[in-house]
Every structure is written in structure tokens, then in C-alpha cells.
């Protein structure tokens, strides 16, 4: 059945459409109709109505869109199960990632509660889990370590400064630094979202992922400072247990309704062992310490710190959003709903800004928790509310139970969770096979974040990623297209065996849009691919034209001299006509035979006619004697009355000859001289089609370049056409005064195939040479 369908052929009959005809057929609207004026847009934006107000409120609070339609029967249980599973993960990860931020663990619990609850109202993704994340925790930790180092909080005893650190004062100041950074990052995200800058995540998501690996090493160094005795055998045991348990969890996940809470089991076990073994007092094992019950009141951030952390806050804002939008779009595509990128930026910004008032540090979506939330059957963000409630219970009731939890256990949880991240090194092999440029971005990003500090590393990686985009637009792939016989398809002749060039027609395409950075390269590539060196050919033509003008001037001078000689001849003939002329009969008969038209006139007209025809006449040289004898002399008439005849004075091997006997005919011949007749070049291209289907915009430099292409190639009798232009490109061409008397919309076609058909018809072709099936599919065009 499939093979039968593939073998079906259709006969397509349609009109060849250029841009002008396409506009008439499709009834394309004018630019003013599709793009309202600025005044009208301003009036519409200020006009208020109930439906518009409703749409505005719903777009700002997406929860109002789906919560009234929430089905407890269908979504309630899946959301509860997913929320409990994610909430259990929040507890160990929140406390562990607080260590990466160089903050007390309880602030990790706060960070797992407030932002997730706020995102419920403003977010548009149904599956991502907002809260602590490794990368942002490490980024915050680098800021707090820089602005609040241990050396600034050494306890002084009179004149002596001890090596002991005032941990309470240090942690208090670090919390202020983290909160100020978080609030500022959130405000940046809100502003970017309000100005519709959400598309930035499209460019920043991929290049920034390798920074995660570079930041892991910094996180490991931060964790190393908290471990002493626990770094040996006990930590190895914890690592081994976590890794084995997680592998077992992954193996059994298809058969389990919910994943086994391995991390929570590890925390509970570690706390019990530490409490009963008195590890802190007996072996000086660092533990979590006091975890106050209840929620802390909101507190204004220290605004004086904004100036010191604004660069870091911007980096955190960008990275956090990039992670959120990439995960959100992944799940949205999988489950068939839409994520608003600008609203996501606002939602994340509000979550960070509001959370900063409650001493939270920066948050984004977590890959591990989001995956658990999705695989356990979550349907809406109600699962996020359930997970927040689990964290709230832990803050209010269970906090003191974890005071004896060794920090080494939290460190082990972080390192084991990073195991999946380290698998990104396997991307090197994949990128090497698929894209060398993406591999270069990956390596530069990894090296820059490893060798430089965080801000410079992110800036360097982002700059390099943008440069690769510029380079790729400056160095696109240029190709000559050929027709696939029997179709209207045109493919690169270098990469497709069946693609055949249309004789006399060159179809040229660039893989990138044309703009100021690659316009000159586009022109050079067109010359190279077409085989026509326009600059040299036009220069040669100009030189030949200059030579021909010099020949014309010389011909004019000769004509003037000839006219002068003719005038002198006329004067001589006039003088001779005044003398008595006696013709001999036999000579007269001979003269009569030499006349061109066989008629002889009398008087002056006869004399001039004879001269013009090179006749022979006699004049007496002596007076007549009484017996009638006298001497006669034969003279050649009009010896200088030759015409221009053929001028064969062309120099430098020129093959053109001008065979004209009048100045008017000579000028006409000069106008008819083409470059091909000069004998320097020969070519079989009569038309070039520029396939602009890949161009989504065009600027003034590109417009000038294309206009120059039209003008230059017309000098060597090659027609230029454009095909496949998008409506926006056509509008830009119109606004740029591209079309004129010499360049009209009739040279702009709806498709390459239409342009090819017109070229062949315009040049008098009767068919597609060697490609008859193509003609059969377009019989409405009589070629």
C-alpha cells in the first residue's frame, strides 16, 4: 500500500506567479492594515474593558486560569503522591545545598518552602519543582565567601587575635548577603519579564550547562572545609550506601509507584547514629547544630550591598531562568501544554524577590526533583503546594530532631547527587560526532568557569557562544541548486546526485540571511559559484568602450578631412566645367558603359555624377587647329571620393569591425557592441535566480548589495531574479526603495520553480532541455 502511494504521480497545472501577480491572487493586505499605527497601538493599550482586564489578571496570575477547573477526583491523588515524594526530597536537599551556599541548614528549609509556594500562583509550568539547586547554591556560596570571609570574623581577645571564628556573626552577615543578592536577582528577573525579554533563555540554556561541571569543584572545596574526621571511613560508607541505593532505586523505578526516599532514610539514619554515638562531643564531628522552630519574620534586605552584588545577581538571574525555562519547555512539550517564557521569568523573579525577604537564597527548578514530580504522576502545581506543606511541617515540628545530623552526611548527599551531572562529560563524544562548534562552546565554557572566577567565566562563555552565532552567519553555506527531474524541488548540485542544473539558468542560495556582516561575502560567493568575474568583465568592457569612442573620434576626423577634400574636388570640377569639353564618341561610349545607373545628365550634375562614379573624361590641352586637330589628355575622375568602406583599425586583437559609411550608422554599431562580441569571455548563463527563502530579514547594506548585483550583471546581459522572499523581506525591500524602473516586482517570484519557468520562457526556450517531466507538471506555462 505504501509503495503504491509513493508511485502515484499528479499533473499540476498552475500559473507562474511573480510577486506582483501573487499579491493580486492572494489579496495580500497592505502594511498599514497588518501593522497598526503607533497612535492606534497606544490608544488600544490605554483602552480598558472588562474582557481586557480579565485577560490581564489571568495572564499575571495563571493559577486563576486552571484552579477553578481543577478536578479533585482526577488530579487530587496524583498531585498528593507527587507532592509528598518531592517534599521528602526537599528536606535533605534543602539542608545540604545550604552548606554549598555557606549558610546554616535551616535557611535551606526556608528556601524550599517560600519560593515554591509563591510559584504556585505565578508559574505556568505544571511539573517543575522550585527550590534549592546545586548550581545556584554554589554561585551564592561564592558570593558569601567573598564578601564575608572567615578572616573578617576572627575573635579578638584584647590585643590578641585568635584563630577562632565568630560563627554566629559570620553566618548572620552571610545570610544578609545571600538575601540581598536573591532580592536583586529576583527584581532583575521581574523587570526582564515585564519587558518581554523571556526569549533570552533560548540563547543561554545550552552554553551555560557546562558551567555546572566547573562549579562542582568549587562546591567540593566549600564542602571540604566542613569535614574533618568524617571525611574518612564513615563518609566512604555513606557514599557507598547512597550510590548503591540510588542505582537500585533507578532499577526498580518502573515497578515502584513512588521512588524510595533514599536521602531521607540516610538523614534519619545518620542523625540516629550521631545522636546515640555522641559523635560531636566524642569525635568532634561537625553537625548541623541548632535549628529553631517556626518561621522567621520578613526582613528588609541590606540595600547597601546591592552595588557589590549586582553583577553576581544578574548572572544568577540569567542562569536560574535558563535552567527553569529549559526544564519547563521539556515537560510542556512532552505533556502537550504551553509555557509562557515571559511569565516564567516574572514568576521566578517574584519567587526570588519575595523569598529574599524571608532570608531565602536564590532558587530555580531542580532537575532531580522535577523529574520525580513528573514521573510520580503530578498533574498541576498543586503538587508544589503539597511539597511546601511537607517542608513547613519539618520547619515547625521536626527541625530540632536534625540538630545532631553530621554535615558530612549532607555533603555526601550533595556529591552523590552530582554523579548524574558528571555524566555530562560523555557529551564530549556526542558533540564531537554531531557538531564541532557546539563542542567548542562546551569546552570554552568549561575551561572559562574553571580557570576564571564565576562572573568572568560566565561572561567569557556567553561571549564565545554569541561569537559562534556571528561567525556562522558570516560564513554560511553557499550552493548552486539544480532541479530534481519530475518535481518542482531544487537541491544543492554538489550534495545530490540527481540534481541537474537548468541550462542557461543559475539558482544561487545562501544558508543564512543576508545582512551587513555577510553581504560582501554573498556577492563574492555569487561571482565564484556562477563563474563570472563581474568586476574584471565590466572593467574590460569599459576599456573597450573607451577604445571604440577613440575610434569613433578618429572616424569623425577622417570624415571631416574627406568632406574637405570633396569640397576641394567640387571647386576643381567647377573650374573644369567652365572650360570647353569635347568628348570622343568611342570614349563617350566607354564612359556610358561605366555608369552605374546607365543614365547621364547634363551640366554640373553630369560632371559630379561622373566624378562620383570614377568616370573617364578628356580635356583639350591645345587649341584647335584649322584642320580640326588638337591634343587630348585622359584624366581619372574623383580620385579621393572613396567612402569609409570598412574600418579595420581595431587594436589589441579586437574582432569587431564597423562597416558603415555614415556617422549615424557608426554610432548605432557602437551601441550594439556587447561584451560577448569583444571576444574576451564566453558564457552560457543568461539568468541568475537568487533564492532568498532562507532570509527572514534584510537591512540597508544587503539591499544595496542586491541592487548592485542587478545593475552589474545587466551590463553583461545576464538577467537577475529573486524567489521565495518572505512577506517581511518584501516589505523591507519596498521601504528601502529597492524597486524602480529598472528593477520591478515582476522580477520577484513566489518560488524558484516559477522563476525558472519565466527565465526559460523569457529567453525563448521551448522546453526544459533534457527535463521533459518537469514541463509536464506545469503545462499551463507554454514554454
Amino acid at each position: 500500500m505504501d509503495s503504491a502511494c509513493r508511485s502515484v504521480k499528479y499533473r499540476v497545472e498552475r500559473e507562474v506567479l511573480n510577486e506582483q501577480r501573487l499579491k493580486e491572487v492572494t489579496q495580500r493586505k497592505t502594511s498599514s492594515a497588518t501593522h497598526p499605527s503607533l497612535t492606534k497601538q497606544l490608544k488600544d493599550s490605554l483602552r480598558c474593558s472588562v474582557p481586557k482586564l480579565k485577560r490581564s489578571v489571568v495572564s499575571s496570575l495563571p493559577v486563576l486560569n486552571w484552579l477553578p477547573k481543577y478536578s479533585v477526583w482526577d488530579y487530587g491523588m496524583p498531585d498528593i503522591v507527587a507532592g509528598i515524594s518531592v517534599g521528602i526530597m526537599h528536606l535533605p536537599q534543602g539542608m545540604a545545598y545550604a552548606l554549598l551556599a555557606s549558610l546554616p541548614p535551616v535557611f535551606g528549609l526556608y528556601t524550599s518552602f517560600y519560593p515554591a509556594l509563591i510559584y504556585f500562583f505565578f508559574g505556568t509550568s505544571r511539573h517543575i519543582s522550585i527550590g534549592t539547586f546545586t548550581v545556584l547554591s554554589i554561585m551564592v556560596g561564592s558570593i558569601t565567601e567573598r564578601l564575608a570571609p572567615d578572616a573578617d570574623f576572627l575573635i579578638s581577645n584584647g590585643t590578641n587575635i585568635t584563630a577562632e571564628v565568630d560563627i554566629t556573626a559570620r553566618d548572620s552577615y552571610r545570610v544578609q548577603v545571600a538575601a540581598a543578592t536573591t532580592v536583586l536577582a529576583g527584581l532583575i528577573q521581574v523587570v526582564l519579564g515585564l519587558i518581554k525579554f523571556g526569549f533570552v533563555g533560548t540563547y543561554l540554556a545550552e552554553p551555560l550547562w557546562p558551567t555546572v561541571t566547573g562549579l562542582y569543584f568549587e562546591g567540593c572545596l566549600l564542602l571540604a572545609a566542613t569535614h574533618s574526621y568524617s571525611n574518612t571511613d564513615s563518609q566512604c560508607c555513606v557514599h557507598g550506601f547512597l550510590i548503591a541505593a540510588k542505582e537500585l532505586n533507578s532499577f526498580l523505578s518502573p515497578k515502584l509507584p513512588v521512588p524510595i526516599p533514599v536521602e531521607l532514610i540516610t538523614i534519619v539514619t545518620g542523625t540516629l547514629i550521631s545522636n546515640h554515638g555522641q559523635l560531636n562531643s566524642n569525635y568532634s564531628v561537625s553537625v548541623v547544630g541548632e535549628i529553631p522552630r517556626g518561621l522567621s519574620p520578613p526582613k528588609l534586605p541590606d540595600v547597601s550591598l546591592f552595588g557589590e552584588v549586582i553583577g553576581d545577581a544578574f548572572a544568577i538571574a540569567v542562569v536560574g531562568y535558563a535552567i527553569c525555562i529549559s526544564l519547563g519547555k521539556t515537560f510542556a512539550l512532552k505533556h502537550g501544554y504551553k509555557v509562557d517564557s515571559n511569565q516564567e521569568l516574572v514568576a521566578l523573579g517574584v519567587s526570588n524577590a519575595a523569598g529574599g525577604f524571608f532570608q531565602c537564597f536564590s532558587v530555580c527548578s531542580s532537575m532531580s526533583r522535577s523529574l520525580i514530580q513528573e514521573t510520580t504522576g503530578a498533574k498541576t502545581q498543586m503538587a508544589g503546594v503539597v511539597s511546601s506543606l511537607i517542608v513547613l511541617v519539618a520547619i515547625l515540628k521536626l527541625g530540632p530532631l536534625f540538630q545532631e545530623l553530621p554535615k558530612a552526611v549532607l555533603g555526601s548527599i550533595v556529591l552523590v547527587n552530582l554523579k548524574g551531572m558528571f555524566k555530562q562529560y560523555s557529551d564530549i563524544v556526542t558533540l564531537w560526532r554531531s557538531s564541532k562548534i557546539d563542542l567548542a562552546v562546551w569546552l570554552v565554557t568549561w575551561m572559562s568557569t574553571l580557570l576564571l572566577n564565576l562572573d568572568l567565566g560566565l561572561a567569557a562563555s556567553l561571549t564565545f557562544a554569541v561569537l559562534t552565532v556571528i561567525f556562522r552567519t558570516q560564513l554560511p553555506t553557499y550552493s548552486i541548486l539544480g532541479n530534481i527531474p519530475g518535481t518542482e524541488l531544487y537541491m544543492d548540485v554538489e550534495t545530490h546526485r540527481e540534481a541537474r542544473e537548468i541550462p542557461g539558468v543559475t539558482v544561487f542560495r545562501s544558508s543564512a540571511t543576508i545582512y551587513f556582516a555577510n553581504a560582501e561575502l554573498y556577492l563574492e560567493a555569487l561571482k565564484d559559484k556562477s563563474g563570472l568575474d563581474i568586476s574584471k568583465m565590466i572593467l574590460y568592457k569599459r576599456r573597450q568602450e573607451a577604445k571604440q569612442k577613440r575610434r569613433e573620434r578618429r572616424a569623425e576626423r577622417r570624415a571631416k578631412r574627406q568632406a574637405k577634400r570633396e569640397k576641394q574636388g567640387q571647386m576643381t570640377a567647377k573650374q573644369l566645367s567652365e572650360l570647353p569639353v569635347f568628348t570622343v564618341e568611342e570614349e563617350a561610349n566607354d564612359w556610358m558603359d561605366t555608369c552605374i545607373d546607365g543614365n547621364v545628365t547634363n551640366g554640373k550634375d553630369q560632371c559630379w555624377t561622373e566624378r562620383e562614379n570614377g568616370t573617364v573624361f578628356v580635356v583639350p590641352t591645345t587649341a584647335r587647329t584649322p584642320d580640326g586637330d588638337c591634343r587630348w589628355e585622359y584624366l581619372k575622375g574623383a580620385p579621393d571620393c572613396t567612402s569609409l568602406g570598412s574600418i579595420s583599425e581595431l587594436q589589441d586583437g579586437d574582432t569587431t569591425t564597423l562597416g558603415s559609411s555614415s556617422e549615424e550608422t557608426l554610432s548605432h554599431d557602437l551601441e550594439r557592441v556587447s561584451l560577448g562580441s569583444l571576444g574576451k569571455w564566453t558564457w552560457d548563463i543568461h539568468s541568475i535566480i537568487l533564492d532568498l527563502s532562507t532570509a527572514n530579514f534584510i537591512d540597508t547594506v544587503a539591499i544595496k548589495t542586491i541592487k548592485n548585483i542587478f545593475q552589474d550583471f545587466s551590463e553583461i546581459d545576464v538577467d537577475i531574479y529573486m524567489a521565495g522572499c518572505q512577506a517581511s523581506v518584501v516589505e523591507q525591500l519596498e521601504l528601502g526603495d529597492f524597486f524602480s524602473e529598472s528593477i520591478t516586482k515582476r522580477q520577484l517570484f513566489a518560488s524558484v520553480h516559477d522563476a525558472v519557468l519565466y527565465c526559460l520562457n523569457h529567453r525563448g526556450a521551448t522546453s526544459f532541455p533534457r527535463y521533459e517531466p518537469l514541463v509536464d507538471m506545469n503545462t499551463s506555462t507554454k514554454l
Side-chain angles (χ1 to χ4, degrees), residues 565-581:
R565 287 193 293 268
E566 289 176 353
K567 185 176 182 180
Q568 292 175 352
Q570 290 176 359
M571 294 177 62
T572 304
K574 182 178 181 182
Q575 294 174 358
L576 293 175
S577 65
E578 295 176 354
L579 297 175
V581 178

Side-chain angles (χ1 to χ4, degrees), residues 295-299 357-359:
L295 300 172
S296 60
K299 183 179 179 180
F357 285 90
F358 293 93
Q359 290 80 51

Side-chain angles (χ1 to χ4, degrees), residues 72-90:
V72 178
W73 181 260
D74 294 330
Y75 301 153
M77 186 56 66
D79 284 342
I80 291 175
V81 173
I84 294 175
S85 302
V86 173
I88 291 174
M89 291 185 67
H90 265 301

Side-chain angles (χ1 to χ4, degrees), residues 667-701:
S667 300
H668 179 69
D669 286 341
L670 288 176
E671 291 176 358
R672 287 190 300 105
V673 172
S674 65
L675 184 59
S677 65
L678 298 176
K680 185 72 174 180
W681 282 280
T682 58
W683 62 94
D684 57 357
I685 299 174
H686 58 70
S687 302
I688 293 179
I689 300 171
L690 305 179
D691 181 6
L692 299 181
S693 58
T694 58
N696 55 0
F697 72 93
I698 194 170
D699 59 6
T700 55
V701 177

Side-chain angles (χ1 to χ4, degrees), residues 549-735:
K549 288 181 180 178
R550 290 195 297 269
R551 297 180 193 121
E552 184 179 18
R553 288 194 294 269
R554 289 197 296 268
E556 289 176 355
R557 289 194 296 267
R558 291 192 190 96
K560 290 180 180 179
R561 290 195 298 268
Q562 184 67 25
K564 185 176 181 181
R565 287 193 293 268
E566 289 176 353
K567 185 176 182 180
Q568 292 175 352
Q570 290 176 359
M571 294 177 62
T572 304
K574 182 178 181 182
Q575 294 174 358
L576 293 175
S577 65
E578 295 176 354
L579 297 175
V581 178
F582 301 95
T583 60
V584 183
E585 183 176 359
E586 56 273 15
E587 294 294 338
N589 292 333
D590 293 339
W591 169 74
M592 292 294 290
D593 293 337
T594 59
C595 292
I596 295 177
D597 54 2
N599 298 319
V600 180
T601 59
N602 297 321
K604 295 180 181 180
D605 293 339
Q606 175 184 347
C607 177
W608 181 238
T609 303
E610 294 165 353
R611 290 175 55 82
E612 284 188 327
N613 290 277
T615 58
V616 178
F617 60 91
V618 293
V619 294
T621 59
T622 59
R624 180 183 295 272
T625 59
D627 56 1
D629 297 328
C630 67
R631 294 181 60 188
W632 299 86
E633 182 176 352
Y634 289 81
L635 299 179
K636 199 75 171 178
D640 295 325
C641 290
T642 58
S643 65
L644 286 176
S646 62
I647 302 176
S648 57
E649 300 177 357
L650 300 182
Q651 302 174 0
D652 300 332
D654 299 329
T655 59
T656 301
T657 59
L658 306 177
S660 175
S661 60
S662 67
E663 185 176 340
E664 180 181 357
T665 307
L666 178 64
S667 300
H668 179 69
D669 286 341
L670 288 176
E671 291 176 358
R672 287 190 300 105
V673 172
S674 65
L675 184 59
S677 65
L678 298 176
K680 185 72 174 180
W681 282 280
T682 58
W683 62 94
D684 57 357
I685 299 174
H686 58 70
S687 302
I688 293 179
I689 300 171
L690 305 179
D691 181 6
L692 299 181
S693 58
T694 58
N696 55 0
F697 72 93
I698 194 170
D699 59 6
T700 55
V701 177
I703 290 176
K704 291 179 181 179
T705 300
I706 297 178
K707 187 177 291 186
N708 291 336
I709 291 174
F710 272 80
Q711 295 172 351
D712 292 345
F713 279 88
S714 65
E715 290 201 34
I716 63 170
D717 198 28
V718 174
D719 297 328
I720 302 294
Y721 303 92
M722 297 186 295
C725 292
Q726 300 182 23
S728 59
V729 175
V730 177
E731 291 178 3
Q732 289 171 322
L733 290 173
E734 293 173 343
L735 295 175

Side-chain angles (χ1 to χ4, degrees), residues 494-516:
E494 295 182 359
T495 58
H496 296 79
R497 294 189 182 92
E498 294 300 320
R500 300 289 185 271
E501 290 190 59
I502 306 300
V505 179
T506 295
V507 183
F508 179 75
R509 182 174 65 187
S510 169
S511 62
T513 190
I514 312 172
Y515 69 115
F516 69 92

